[in-house]
């Protein structure tokens, strides 16, 4: 009789990771990707290691461009317009160019505007007098500070700036006045009396809402009652 003694090795069951609570996705993040090659081929991960150097080169290029254009400004003058859609219509931003009506009100021709750094958009139409007046003021303030050099040497023509102003002309640093400063009116606070404290705003709103909703029905019933009285 052969007896075999078998040694049983006990293996501990792997620890189950803590599950997430509620109905959420099971975490299975995979952070062992290979950067350059894998079984599926090269991943071609794009890096941005030259970002600081590119930032510096762009700044130097802007400075050299401004020096080459001096005393002509590098940026152009743009109008202030309202943002489209009902969500953003309360905000203002810079538009594509001044409309023909704005240039006409400021006594500037579109051909001349393009030569002195004023953006022109012949498709844009003014729909309010406020925006028209605001952009006309921008054009007039820009025209007052504008220095026009003669095309050929010192022979100044009609519309050119005087020789004294030409000699003292300087390039504008930075952008041309981008957005006008907003003036917020000051609020006036009134003291709260006992009548205001006793008023119930919710009930007043409900009363006004029901009156507007039942206005047609009540008018119809009143008309019928008047007709019955006459009969």
């Amino acid at each position: 009789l052969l007896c075999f003694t078998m040694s049983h090795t006990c293996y501990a069951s792997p620890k189950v990771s803590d599950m997430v609570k509620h109905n959420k996705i099971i975490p299975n993040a995979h952070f062992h990707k290979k950067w350059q090659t894998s079984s599926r081929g090269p991943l071609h991960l794009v890096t941005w290691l030259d970002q600081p150097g590119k930032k510096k080169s762009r700044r130097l290029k802007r400075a050299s461009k401004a020096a080459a254009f001096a005393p002509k400004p590098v940026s152009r003058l743009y109008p202030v317009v309202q943002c489209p859609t009902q969500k953003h219509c309360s905000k203002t931003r810079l538009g594509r160019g001044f409309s023909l009506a704005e240039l006409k009100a400021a006594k500037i021709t579109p051909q001349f505007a393009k030569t002195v750094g004023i953006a022109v958009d012949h498709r844009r139409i003014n729909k309010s007098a406020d925006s028209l007046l605001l952009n006309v003021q921008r054009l007039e303030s820009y025209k007052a500070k504008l220095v026009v050099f003669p095309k050929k040497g010192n022979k100044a023509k009609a519309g050119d700036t005087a020789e004294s102003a030409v000699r003292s002309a300087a390039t504008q640093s930075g952008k041309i006045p981008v957005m006008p400063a907003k003036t917020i009116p000051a609020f006036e606070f009134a003291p709260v009396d006992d009548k205001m404290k006793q008023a119930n705003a919710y009930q007043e709103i409900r009363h006004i809402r029901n009156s507007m909703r039942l206005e047609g029905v009540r008018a119809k019933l009143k008309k019928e009652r008047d007709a019955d009285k006459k009969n």
Side-chain angles (χ1 to χ4, degrees), residues 6 46 52-53 81 85 101 111 127 139 142 149 151 153 163 179-180 190 200 206 209-210:
M6 299 181 65
V46 179
V81 298
T85 70
Q111 293 79 9
K127 295 186 177 180
L139 287 171
Y142 180 81
F149 282 63
K151 289 185 177 181
E163 185 178 355
M179 298 287 289
N200 192 335
R206 293 287 298 179
R209 179 177 177 274
N210 288 332

Side-chain angles (χ1 to χ4, degrees), residues 69-147:
F69 283 9
K72 179 182 177 181
V74 178
S75 58
R76 294 192 295 173
L77 182 69
Y78 294 95
V80 177
V81 298
Q82 299 293 131
C83 296
T85 70
Q86 187 177 7
K87 180 179 180 181
H88 304 287
C89 64
S90 61
K91 304 175 185 177
T92 56
R93 63 174 178 85
L94 295 180
R96 184 184 183 91
F98 290 91
S99 64
L100 300 180
E102 293 168 351
L103 294 172
K104 185 177 181 180
K107 298 180 180 179
I108 300 174
T109 61
Q111 293 79 9
F112 177 74
K114 294 177 182 180
T115 61
V116 293
I118 299 176
V120 181
D121 185 10
H122 64 277
R123 292 178 292 270
R124 188 166 151 265
I125 300 173
N126 294 96
K127 295 186 177 180
S128 66
D130 296 336
S131 65
L132 176 65
L133 181 62
L134 177 62
N135 288 319
V136 169
Q137 291 176 354
R138 281 173 65 83
L139 287 171
E140 290 178 349
S141 62
Y142 180 81
K143 189 169 64 172
K145 301 175 183 178
L146 185 64
V147 177

